Amino acid sequence: PALYEGPIAGRIARQLRAAGGLLDSADLAAYRPAFTRPVCAAFAGHVVLGASAPVAGPTVAEVLQLVERSGTLALGDPVHAPDAAVRWADALRVGVADRRAYG
C-alpha cells in the first residue's frame, strides 16, 4: 500500500522527521494493521458501531447505555434542557472514569 511503502511513504516519513517525529520509512513499511471487531451498542433504536479498545468505542458505548437506561432521553435535548445536559455530563464522567480505571 502506498501509505506504507514507496514514494508517498517516503514523503510522509520525511515530513514527520522534519517536524521532529521519530518514525521513518522502515517503521511505515513494518506497520501491520490490526483488524478487530467493532464495539456495538444499542441506543435509541439504533445500533451504534465504534472502534474497539484502546480507542474510545467502549467508552462511547457505555455512555450511551447509561444515558438510555437512566431515562435521560426523556428529559429532552441537552442543548435546551439543563437537567438532560447534567445527566449526559454525569454519564460522560462515569464513562471516562471507567476508561481510566479499567483501560
Side-chain angles (χ1 to χ4, degrees), residues 18-30:
L22 302 176
L23 296 177
D24 59 21
S25 296
D27 294 317
L28 293 173

Side-chain angles (χ1 to χ4, degrees), residues 79-93:
V79 172
H80 304 292
D83 290 342
V86 169
R87 291 265 192 99
W88 272 96
D90 286 343
L92 286 165
R93 180 184 48 77

